[in-house]
Amino acid sequence: MSVLEKADSGVAPRAGLVGRVPALAVLEYQLVAYRRTWRAGVFSSFLLPLLTMVGFGIGVGAYVESGVGGVSYLDFIVPGLIASTALQVAVGESTWPVLGSFEWIKVYFAQAASPLRAGDILGGHVAFVLFRVLTSSLAFLLVAALFGALHSPWALTTPLLVLLIGLAVATPVFAYSASVRSDSYLSLLFRFAVIPMSLFAGVFFPVESLPTALRWLAYASPLWHGVDLCRAATLGVAPDWSVPGHLLYLGAWAAGGWLLARACFRRRLVV
Amino acid sequence: MSKDGVLIRARGLVKRFGDFVAVDGIDVEVRAGEAFGFLGPNGAGKSSTMRMIGCVSPPSGGELQILGMDPRRDGPAIRARLGVCPQLDNLDPELTVRENLTTYARYFGIPRRTARERATELLEFVQLAERANSKVEPLSGGMKRRLTIARALVNEPDIVLLDEPTTGLDPQARHLVWERLFRLKQQGVTLVLTTHYMDEAEQLCDRLVVMDGGRIVAEGSPRELIERYSTREVVELRFGAEGQETFAGKLAGIGERTEVLPDRILLYVADGDAAVAEVHARALAPASVLVRRSSLEDVFLHLTGRTLVD
């Protein structure tokens, strides 16, 4: 029998949803690849929040007798840790995997030879990153709930908030990872962006304790906006900044990052 | 497809990278069902041409029509009907052999069940059925290349593009790939391939263009090209260590043409044995004598003054 014998009607059948949204085929590929490693990740995605919560919330918290702004230290840092987990997972999944897909295993080039466009390839991979952000944050949320650190029904909105944080940081990082040719640049990103943000963007202490110049850096970082929103949600209090302001600011990072990343993907894939 | 059966039509096609002109105004027509080759050394512009045909590289000038469509506008629609086997394998080494095919099929919007069925058939075809569930990473170069070819067929393409399909493979693996490609050809699949191996071009191509420095220097079937640009037979003489030039002058008049290479002298003649007799009659004693048929290598040498493989 001929390998290329056209089946049935002679017209290749188009799969419904994937036919309409080609990026879903890329997401599917990423999930198939993830199926090989997810078990190893599940344990650590519960262990890490557990350890940080015990270490910082209960260990350090024991010395912070007055709490922060009227809430216990554990309750104060839990939403911050949820937001910073979203940041770390989003950046982690948008650095090496993206560089590797261009430089090492070159799957993006294989995808670009199919009907997929640069935007589909980018969109499908970003969707996978959001999936990872969401599942990791849900693990954290679950541990937090067990510790009784969630105090408001608004906590139910945190999954949406972490998705927004994830999108706001993943898209510009995709652009960055698509523009560099060596992974030593990726470590720079962690050293000079991720770690400072995690430490100074309001996760462990209010940014008001920072000197003015640094405080403005914290305000500029997407993480602070995410932390403030998450904290408002889990504690059921008003955020320091207006909610639409936060959402718009993170949305602007996401939109700007998307346009930049798509341009970078096109430059690499269509030459 | 246009009515005259031309699947790919290029007119004055140009590709520039900054100041560098990789493809310098080529005219090409590929018809349905033929195996068409771009033969030339590295840097001749073959891969740049292939990337333009594959709709992942916009032309810098000239016209290009593929399956009756314009790659600048209809890239995704054209790519949906192409099968691409790139020069460097870009399989996912962490996935299984089968998953590499099924995930790729999904990029074409092929339903999961159809994708699974096709993967089974194609793995049978490229003789990898028993490795279906093993990871790609430990496979040999030849197996990976066959898997890449299978992947290129997953969407039942109208045209299969193969960029240097056997470069880097050992002889046995090359023959297996050739044999599979020959089968495809017999089934009427249109193949477009680049190669710098003349034997590959001779084995697989119905028609080919010889490229050098971004231009097409000759076009025809392998047989036509050999008849037009070379003699029927070639005598290869090697004269030990003294250097070939010393002897070149003494061979004047034997055959139609003489090429002096660093390690041997080629005599282009109609009758090889008669020419060898003439060499001996002139009291020359080459260290080795080989009479062979002309090949595309000789065509290339004649057209460019250089050998194909460095």
Side-chain angles (χ1 to χ4, degrees):
Chain A
M1 193 193 85
S2 155
V3 212
L4 292 180
E5 205 168 84
K6 303 276 176 191
D8 323 311
S9 58
V11 180
R14 300 280 294 176
L17 203 51
V18 162
R20 280 195 296 277
V21 188
L24 288 176
V26 176
L27 173 62
E28 201 174 298
Y29 154 75
Q30 296 288 349
L31 290 171
V32 169
Y34 182 58
R35 208 161 56 187
R36 314 204 138 261
T37 55
W38 72 277
R39 280 180 199 84
V42 166
F43 184 64
S44 66
S45 58
F46 280 99
L47 189 68
L48 202 68
L50 195 67
L51 290 180
T52 35
M53 240 175 277
V54 172
F56 284 101
I58 297 173
V60 178
Y63 294 90
V64 191
E65 283 165 3
S66 57
V68 182
V71 297
S72 81
Y73 191 60
L74 179 71
D75 293 349
F76 177 80
I77 65 162
V78 155
L81 289 172
I82 290 173
S84 91
T85 301
L87 168 86
Q88 311 234 0
V89 174
V91 176
E93 292 284 342
S94 319
T95 41
W96 276 269
V98 172
L99 182 83
S101 300
F102 279 117
E103 297 288 329
W104 303 323
I105 61 168
K106 298 182 186 293
V107 284
Y108 285 156
F109 296 98
Q111 291 168 341
S114 79
L116 299 170
R117 290 160 302 186
D120 301 326
I121 297 169
L122 172 67
H125 200 167
V126 168
F128 173 73
V129 172
L130 293 184
F131 162 81
R132 291 280 296 117
V133 167
L134 184 65
T135 48
S136 313
S137 305
L138 285 178
F140 212 125
L141 213 54
L142 195 66
V143 175
L146 294 177
F147 275 79
L150 306 180
H151 297 281
S152 155
W154 281 103
L156 290 172
T157 63
T158 41
L160 293 175
L161 296 176
V162 297
L163 283 177
L164 182 61
I165 299 166
L167 197 61
V169 294
T171 53
V173 175
F174 264 73
Y176 179 78
S177 304
S179 322
V180 299
R181 297 294 172 111
S182 146
D183 62 345
S184 48
Y185 290 101
L186 303 182
S187 333
L188 288 180
L189 191 66
F190 275 85
R191 222 167 293 153
F192 292 107
V194 176
I195 295 174
M197 257 197 270
S198 309
L199 291 177
F200 300 112
V203 175
F204 297 102
F205 55 87
V207 291
E208 285 71 33
S209 340
L210 289 169
T212 318
L214 283 180
R215 200 186 305 166
W216 281 101
L217 274 180
Y219 290 150
S221 77
L223 183 59
W224 177 74
H225 299 267
V227 169
D228 200 36
L229 284 173
C230 286
R231 190 162 285 142
T234 61
L235 297 178
V237 297
D240 288 353
W241 230 49
S242 84
V243 174
H246 279 316
L247 296 178
L248 279 174
Y249 188 75
L250 290 173
W253 271 85
W258 172 267
L259 293 176
L260 207 58
R262 199 176 55 179
C264 293
F265 267 53
R266 280 193 185 137
R267 202 165 55 226
R268 289 294 296 276
L269 295 173
V270 183
V271 284
Chain B
M1 197 201 301
S2 54
K3 287 186 189 69
D4 49 1
V6 175
L7 300 189
I8 301 171
R9 176 180 280 126
R11 289 271 176 279
L13 186 61
V14 175
K15 183 70 197 187
R16 274 186 293 268
F17 297 102
D19 290 337
F20 175 69
V21 183
V23 179
D24 194 3
I26 60 168
D27 297 344
V28 174
E29 271 187 7
V30 180
R31 288 185 279 273
E34 74 177 338
F36 186 90
F38 291 92
L39 176 70
N42 292 328
K46 307 182 303 281
S47 292
S48 298
T49 306
M50 282 296 245
R51 290 175 46 76
M52 285 191 278
I53 297 174
C55 302
V56 289
S57 170
S60 318
E63 280 174 47
L64 181 61
Q65 230 188 31
I66 299 150
L67 299 163
M69 292 180 273
D70 176 359
R72 278 173 256 233
R73 220 188 40 232
D74 312 312
I78 298 171
R79 291 197 300 271
R81 293 167 60 188
L82 299 179
V84 179
C85 176
Q87 195 168 343
L88 298 171
D89 292 318
N90 50 27
L91 300 160
D92 187 322
E94 295 294 319
L95 296 192
T96 65
V97 166
R98 177 191 295 280
E99 284 166 342
N100 262 281
L101 296 185
T102 49
T103 53
Y104 205 75
R106 300 289 286 154
Y107 303 156
F108 293 84
I110 295 167
R112 280 192 199 86
R113 228 190 88 196
T114 317
R116 278 196 300 272
E117 289 164 2
R118 243 174 242 177
T120 306
E121 276 172 39
L122 287 168
L123 289 178
E124 205 65 61
F125 175 68
V126 295
Q127 294 158 314
L128 285 172
E130 62 279 21
R131 304 300 294 265
N133 297 317
S134 75
K135 274 215 230 174
V136 165
E137 202 191 347
L139 297 189
S140 71
M143 288 177 174
K144 283 181 187 161
R145 193 58 55 87
R146 272 161 26 224
L147 179 56
T148 308
I149 291 172
R151 194 183 67 180
L153 299 173
V154 85
N155 59 325
E156 301 177 331
D158 293 319
I159 308 171
V160 179
L161 305 178
L162 302 136
D163 197 359
E164 307 268 353
T166 65
T167 297
L169 302 187
D170 61 59
Q172 207 189 343
R174 294 181 72 195
H175 280 282
L176 253 175
V177 169
W178 283 347
E179 199 237 322
R180 291 297 98 183
L181 293 179
F182 195 77
R183 276 276 302 276
L184 284 180
K185 204 177 121 169
Q186 284 177 319
Q187 292 172 13
V189 179
T190 308
L191 301 179
V192 177
L193 61 108
T194 72
T195 182
H196 60 259
Y197 296 119
M198 45 157 186
D199 47 350
E200 184 159 284
E202 278 178 14
Q203 288 233 13
L204 293 173
C205 298
D206 301 317
R207 220 156 51 80
L208 56 95
V209 290
V210 180
M211 283 189 83
D212 189 39
R215 293 172 175 277
I216 290 175
V217 292
E219 176 177 356
S221 71
R223 183 182 295 271
E224 282 166 8
L225 288 170
I226 291 166
E227 280 170 8
R228 202 181 317 151
Y229 296 104
S230 192
T231 51
R232 206 169 74 85
E233 294 191 327
V234 186
V235 180
E236 294 200 8
L237 304 172
R238 287 172 202 264
F239 285 100
E242 298 103 300
Q244 316 296 319
E245 291 81 4
T246 7
F247 296 93
K250 298 176 184 163
L251 294 165
I254 305 179
E256 294 177 20
R257 214 158 43 78
T258 310
E259 292 279 357
V260 182
L261 301 180
D263 60 335
R264 59 196 196 274
I265 297 177
L266 306 180
L267 299 176
Y268 288 93
V269 298
D271 182 343
D273 292 334
V276 172
E278 176 64 22
V279 170
H280 288 299
R282 293 189 187 185
L284 296 171
S288 79
V289 177
L290 170 75
V291 177
R292 60 169 175 82
R293 290 184 156 271
S294 269
S295 71
L296 287 172
E297 177 83 47
D298 301 298
V299 172
F300 188 78
L301 187 63
H302 178 55
L303 289 169
T304 67
R306 287 179 291 113
T307 51
L308 261 176
V309 184
D310 31 320

